[in-house]
Amino acid sequence: MAHVTCVAPRCRDGRESVPVQIRRNTVSEQLRLMAVHAHPDDESSKGAATMARYVAEGHRVRVVTCTGGERGDILNPKLAHDESILADMPAYRRREMAAAAEALGIEHTWLGFVDSGLPEGDPLPPLPEGCFAVEPLEVPVEALVREIRTFRPHVMTTYNEEGGYPHPDHIRTHEISVAAFHAAADPEQFPDAGPAWEVSKLYYDVGFSLDRIQAISEAMHARGLVSPFEDWLERAATRPQRTVTTRVRCEDYFDRRDEALRAHATQIDPDGFFFEVPRDVEREVWPVEQFELAESRVPVEIPEDDLFAGLRRLSA
């Protein structure tokens, strides 16, 4: 069983906050999910089908993108030399994000910080001045607290402490998401960011678990196909695995996810990695997206099959 911390909001001096000052879930409210991501395209490769499912069920889903992806490389070889894109990458990525949001049916907002880029070299060069990963922590935390108190999500998703992978913007996204999850519920923190709101559950995305890539690879081999995960299997087997607490069935929304992925044309090659697994294989052997419950303010029973588990009965 995963270790799940049930938290109560506290003031800076350690005293419990006054409950009446915190907006909590009521039985009449629509369920809301907020997904916090580092760059445009992250929302389409991590938990996208789950978000599309909840939108189809009538819930509200909002993605908060921390940066504009300004320093992202063009990863689609078909567009690598397109001068119109190179001339204004930020604007192009904004249009891609708008198309992806439309494909998933989600709401979207920009947190407004500048992409840090992925440093390369030995030793690594310093991060660019003024980028997201070097902003004083309280600056993006307050910005995210403001978004939380405005949207009032019941559930948040983000990355684990390793960022899912060690990109500085992903690690910083984890840091501000966890800090804002706590700060948003404390009326003494960032009082100018709106009335305090208590998010009930916080999850980390678990996209490429060893179980998933093994199951898909075995199914493809059984069909005489070559798995795109051969190299991943060797690397993944040597790494600590995350604790998966929650598996959400969402195979009916893989097409929405794929449409959103293709919308990010500078980042996703339509003939590349993300589309090498036949969708009928994926639907048969891995019809879920996985998450790790990090913190909960409501009673939970692990394993779960729903990010809103423990909350639906409150809104029934």
Side-chain angles (χ1 to χ4, degrees):
M1 178 178 294
H3 174 70
V4 178
T5 304
C6 292
V7 298
R10 291 184 177 274
C11 301
R12 291 175 180 172
D13 62 4
R15 295 178 294 106
E16 288 191 4
S17 300
V18 180
V20 73
Q21 293 178 294
I22 303 170
R23 294 188 181 183
R24 291 188 171 88
N25 308 330
T26 64
V27 295
S28 62
E29 289 185 303
Q30 183 182 36
L31 293 172
R32 294 179 295 277
L33 169 67
M34 174 178 283
V36 186
H37 288 285
H39 311 106
D41 77 74
D42 287 325
E43 85 296 327
S44 297
S45 59
K46 303 168 186 67
T50 295
M51 293 192 294
R53 169 189 156 173
Y54 287 137
V55 169
E57 289 180 356
H59 304 299
R60 289 182 66 189
V61 178
R62 180 172 295 182
V63 166
V64 176
T65 306
C66 295
T67 80
E70 299 89 348
R71 290 189 168 94
D73 295 324
I74 297 179
L75 302 180
N76 182 348
K78 300 176 184 64
L79 301 178
H81 305 292
D82 189 318
E83 294 298 330
S84 65
I85 298 173
L86 295 171
D88 196 352
M89 175 69 89
Y92 203 89
R93 295 204 73 180
R94 282 182 171 269
R95 291 194 291 272
E96 290 178 335
M97 184 65 240
E102 183 176 2
L104 296 173
I106 59 170
E107 304 171 32
H108 177 258
T109 189
W110 300 95
L111 206 57
F113 295 94
V114 177
D115 188 350
S116 304
L118 183 59
E120 296 179 324
D122 186 15
L124 292 174
L127 292 172
E129 183 178 353
C131 72
F132 178 49
V134 300
E135 284 277 359
L137 186 63
E138 65 273 12
V139 175
V141 170
E142 180 173 11
L144 184 54
V145 165
R146 191 178 302 277
E147 294 297 332
I148 292 170
R149 290 176 178 173
T150 299
F151 184 62
R152 299 184 300 152
H154 302 92
V155 173
M156 284 176 58
T157 65
T158 190
Y159 316 136
N160 62 40
E161 67 279 1
E162 297 174 343
Y165 79 107
H167 189 297
D169 286 339
H170 283 241
I171 294 170
R172 179 46 61 97
T173 297
H174 162 82
E175 293 169 348
I176 74 163
S177 297
V178 173
F181 174 83
H182 293 276
D186 184 349
E188 293 193 359
Q189 294 197 53
F190 309 112
D192 295 334
W197 173 258
E198 187 179 81
V199 184
S200 293
K201 302 172 82 176
L202 176 68
Y203 287 91
Y204 301 151
D205 175 82
V206 184
F208 292 97
S209 66
L210 181 59
D211 288 347
R212 179 192 179 202
I213 61 180
Q214 282 180 329
I216 291 176
S217 292
E218 290 171 4
M220 292 186 70
H221 292 157
R223 292 163 172 78
L225 303 173
V226 177
S227 169
F229 296 128
E230 298 298 339
D231 292 338
W232 286 49
L233 278 170
E234 185 175 344
R235 295 196 303 269
T238 64
R239 296 175 180 170
Q241 297 299 302
R242 306 298 304 192
T243 299
V244 174
T245 62
T246 311
R247 293 176 170 85
V248 180
R249 290 287 299 254
C250 53
E251 69 271 33
D252 291 341
Y253 302 94
F254 286 167
D255 57 339
R256 299 275 189 90
R257 175 202 62 193
D258 291 350
E259 184 181 351
L261 281 167
R262 291 189 179 96
H264 291 287
T266 61
Q267 305 300 301
I268 307 295
D269 182 354
D271 299 319
F273 167 80
F274 281 105
F275 303 102
E276 290 182 9
V277 177
R279 289 299 170 249
D280 61 327
V281 173
E282 185 180 19
R283 289 187 179 93
E284 179 182 338
V285 302
W286 207 262
V288 300
E289 289 179 335
Q290 299 184 126
F291 300 86
E292 176 184 355
L293 180 59
E295 302 196 49
S296 181
R297 291 182 166 109
V298 296
V300 296
E301 294 182 6
I302 304 300
E304 303 174 314
D305 61 3
D306 182 9
L307 298 183
F308 293 126
L311 293 168
R312 290 184 187 271
R313 62 177 177 271
L314 298 178
S315 61

